[in-house]
């Protein structure tokens, strides 16, 4: 039998099934926690750190990723404190500096309130979110791709860099990669990277309602869990 | 443990995915590196997906995916060794052997590596040649050490011919 727990997210008492993550529950209730590496129904590994929240325990607060935080009775979570917004903005800023050529990531930056990028643009083609790897492993049980190497050399690859027979060429990895959705104006050339921030209509609502879901563009094409559910 | 063949390494460990790292360690010891064919066999025999074998093998520094030289020189570049002139040792070894750190000489005799602390800081600058620690190294001592290994190898070669 499913066990229900009651917890508090941003002051609201919400009910949830034991075993679900705080991120899934929050998004289901229309509370916005921007996230990148999480895909509903796949395992979470806390890779992108975007979904950080404050967990209040014994009047102390601890910052942790909500996709890997399972709901518990009487848990108290804050998703939109000043501290969290600042952390989230910084993570989004780092992400967009790393990979400005993704509309998904540009949108995440807008949603998180990034207004300038203080880090050098890198124009990488992967942010190591591991969406592709987990889809391939968990949804299709193909295990054709995985993380290879360590530290700054870590990347996603086939075994020995060659497409193996176990790859079913289903394209799921490509479809769910945030890097395959290019910015509206087309790819930015090296040296021309910038914060897009052109969706002014979006910018306004993004700022006025940081805490609740505004059905932002994030889910379109890319798949914020809010749109997936 | 000294193992003679991949067969022997796999013996008694088949279908045991948890043995992966130990098997790879033995393969590394046997060949001096982890050949692709071995990874394929290990994947099949232990029942571990190939990408998983490759991921693990490419992650740990103890595993090499490229053939390594007969002799391995590991220069410590940790803080203590650095302030005592480890960089000069690197210059010496790369100059003398004409190979970059991480590389192997074209005759397959030497591989040069750098690490970030060997845990023997008081003896710095330290380097390891084939498992033997050499303390308080200087470029001169290093140069003589390399020459010694080389002439020993040449002697072996001459004797083999005779
Ligand atoms: S290839 Fe795409 S989906 Fe895979 S880890 Fe990189 S950014 Fe994420
Ligand atoms: S659709 Fe946009 S606003 Fe709604 S939860 Fe997702 S990121 Fe937040
Ligand atoms: S969504 Fe939680 S860390 Fe990426
Ligand atoms: S710094 Fe070289 S042994 Fe520690």
């Amino acid at each position: 039998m499913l066990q229900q727990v009651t917890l508090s997210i941003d002051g609201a008492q919400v009910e949830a099934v034991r075993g679900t993550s705080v991120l899934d529950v929050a998004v289901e209730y229309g509370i916005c926690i921007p996230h990148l590496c999480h895909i509903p129904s796949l395992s979470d590994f806390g890779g992108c750190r975007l979904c950080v929240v404050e967990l209040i325990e014994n009047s102390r607060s601890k910052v942790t990723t909500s996709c890997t935080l399972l709901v518990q009775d009487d848990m108290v979570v804050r998703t939109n404190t000043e501290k969290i917004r600042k952390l989230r903005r910084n993570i989004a800023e780092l992400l967009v500096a790393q990979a400005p050529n993704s509309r998904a990531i540009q949108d995440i930056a807008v949603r998180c309130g990034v207004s300038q990028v203080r880090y050098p643009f890198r124009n990488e083609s992967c942010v190591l979110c591991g969406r592709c790897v987990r889809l391939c492993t968990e949804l299709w049980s193909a295990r054709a791709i995985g993380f290879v190497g360590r530290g700054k050399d870590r990347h996603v690859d086939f075994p020995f860099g060659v497409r193996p027979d176990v790859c079913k060429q289903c394209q799921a990895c490509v479809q769910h990669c945030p890097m395959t959705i290019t910015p509206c104006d087309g790819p930015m050339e090296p040296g021309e990277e910038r914060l897009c921030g052109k969706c002014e209509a979006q910018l306004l609502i993004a700022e006025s309602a940081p805490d609740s879901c505004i059905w932002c563009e994030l889910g379109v094409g890319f798949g914020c869990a809010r749109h997936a559910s | 443990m000294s193992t003679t063949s991949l067969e022997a390494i796999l013996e008694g460990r088949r279908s045991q995915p948890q043995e992966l790292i130990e098997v790879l360690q033995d393969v590394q010891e046997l060949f001096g590196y982890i050949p692709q064919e071995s990874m394929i066999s290990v994947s099949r025999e232990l029942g571990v997906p190939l990408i998983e074998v490759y991921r693990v093998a490419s992650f740990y520094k103890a595993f090499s995916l490229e053939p390594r030289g007969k002799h391995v020189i590991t220069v410590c570049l940790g803080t203590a060794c650095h302030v005592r002139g480890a960089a000069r040792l690197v210059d010496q070894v790369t100059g003398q052997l004409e190979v970059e750190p991480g590389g192997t000489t074209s005759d397959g005799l030497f591989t040069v590596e750098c690490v970030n602390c060997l845990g023997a800081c008081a003896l710095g600058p330290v380097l390891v040649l084939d498992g033997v620690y050499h303390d308080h190294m200087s470029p001169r001592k290093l140069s003589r050490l390399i020459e010694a290994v080389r002439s020993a190898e040449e002697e072996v070669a001459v004797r083999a011919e005779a």
Side-chain angles (χ1 to χ4, degrees):
Chain A
M1 202 188 74
L2 293 179
Q3 283 185 333
Q4 295 282 333
V5 301
T6 310
L7 69 158
S8 147
I9 306 183
D10 293 346
Q13 293 296 117
V14 300
E15 293 223 322
V17 177
R18 193 183 294 281
T20 42
S21 70
V22 169
L23 175 60
D24 278 333
V25 174
V27 166
E28 194 185 315
Y29 276 89
I31 297 166
C32 171
I33 304 177
H35 49 274
L36 172 63
C37 66
H38 167 74
I39 298 184
S41 82
L42 295 189
S43 70
D44 286 300
F45 80 131
C48 71
R49 315 311 287 175
L50 253 185
C51 69
V52 285
V53 294
E54 274 188 82
L55 173 65
I56 319 277
E57 273 172 337
N58 305 327
S59 68
R60 284 177 182 232
S61 106
K62 181 172 118 189
V63 174
T64 181
T65 45
S66 58
C67 65
T68 53
L69 181 66
L70 298 187
V71 291
Q72 261 168 30
D73 252 329
D74 302 325
M75 197 177 226
V76 180
V77 176
R78 299 236 152 234
T79 74
N80 248 283
T81 57
E82 193 54 42
K83 181 172 173 184
I84 288 298
R85 277 210 292 272
K86 204 170 155 200
L87 284 170
R88 196 181 279 161
R89 203 184 310 127
N90 200 29
I91 296 167
E93 191 177 335
L94 284 162
L95 276 171
V96 78
Q98 177 86 349
N101 257 324
S102 154
R103 208 192 85 192
I105 289 173
Q106 291 278 0
D107 284 347
I108 284 174
V110 170
R111 184 61 185 128
C112 296
V114 176
S115 55
Q116 53 157 332
V117 180
R118 296 161 298 169
Y119 307 104
F121 282 106
R122 287 226 181 107
N123 218 334
E124 296 288 345
S125 55
C126 172
V127 289
L128 300 176
C129 66
R131 288 166 69 102
C132 52
V133 174
R134 281 170 296 137
L135 273 165
C136 185
T137 310
E138 297 171 21
L139 195 59
W140 299 107
S141 305
R143 297 169 187 271
I145 51 173
F147 284 117
V148 174
R150 181 183 47 176
K152 65 177 179 17
D153 297 324
R154 195 161 184 247
H155 63 282
V156 173
D157 209 341
F158 293 128
F160 321 132
V162 186
R163 197 178 69 77
D165 291 341
V166 290
C167 168
K168 306 176 183 176
Q169 290 190 278
C170 66
Q171 303 288 326
C173 51
V174 177
Q175 278 157 14
H176 289 81
C177 172
M179 297 308 301
T180 53
I181 317 168
T182 49
C184 312
D185 291 348
M188 301 171 184
E189 296 295 322
E192 289 175 6
E193 300 93 344
R194 61 189 185 284
L195 182 67
C196 178
K198 274 204 180 155
C199 310
E200 279 179 32
Q202 279 239 17
L203 273 176
L204 284 177
I205 36 174
E207 275 163 24
S208 63
D211 50 350
S212 45
C213 175
I214 52 170
W215 293 105
C216 74
E217 291 288 316
L218 261 181
V220 182
F222 170 62
C224 166
R226 177 69 164 156
H227 288 256
S229 61
Chain B
M1 184 177 95
S2 82
T3 11
T4 42
S5 71
L6 189 56
E7 254 327 281
I9 292 174
L10 290 168
E11 197 51 49
R13 288 156 146 181
R14 290 197 163 78
S15 307
Q16 297 177 41
Q18 76 279 8
E19 293 284 328
L20 178 60
I21 291 193
E22 286 180 14
V23 166
L24 289 179
Q25 277 173 332
D26 290 347
V27 173
Q28 169 77 38
E29 195 177 312
L30 175 63
F31 298 108
Y33 79 112
I34 306 197
Q36 280 192 13
E37 311 81 72
S38 303
M39 283 190 255
I40 295 172
S41 314
V42 167
S43 157
R44 191 182 50 229
E45 299 298 326
L46 295 192
V48 178
L50 184 57
I51 184 68
E52 199 62 9
V53 178
Y54 185 50
R55 182 180 70 82
V56 170
S58 69
F59 183 86
Y60 292 103
K61 213 167 177 171
F63 299 139
S64 168
L65 301 185
E66 308 271 315
R68 300 218 298 175
K70 197 166 166 198
H71 303 280
V72 181
I73 300 179
T74 310
V75 184
C76 178
L77 286 184
T79 315
C81 293
H82 174 81
V83 297
R84 295 187 194 177
R88 295 198 348 252
L89 298 181
V90 176
D91 288 346
Q92 177 64 37
V93 71
T94 52
Q96 193 172 351
L97 296 176
E98 294 174 5
V99 61
E100 289 303 305
T104 300
T105 52
S106 48
D107 57 5
L109 220 44
F110 292 98
T111 291
V112 176
E113 283 175 348
C114 295
V115 291
N116 293 330
C117 187
L118 289 163
C121 308
L123 305 178
V126 180
L127 65 83
V128 180
L129 169 66
D130 298 335
V132 180
Y133 282 62
H134 295 266
D135 59 299
H136 300 104
M137 277 313 254
S138 67
R140 258 186 73 145
K141 281 196 205 166
L142 174 55
S143 149
R144 273 187 256 141
L145 194 61
I146 294 173
E147 278 318 315
V149 174
R150 250 206 199 128
S151 45
E153 282 294 337
E154 270 159 25
E155 226 167 84
V156 172
V158 169
R159 223 179 284 149
E161 261 169 46

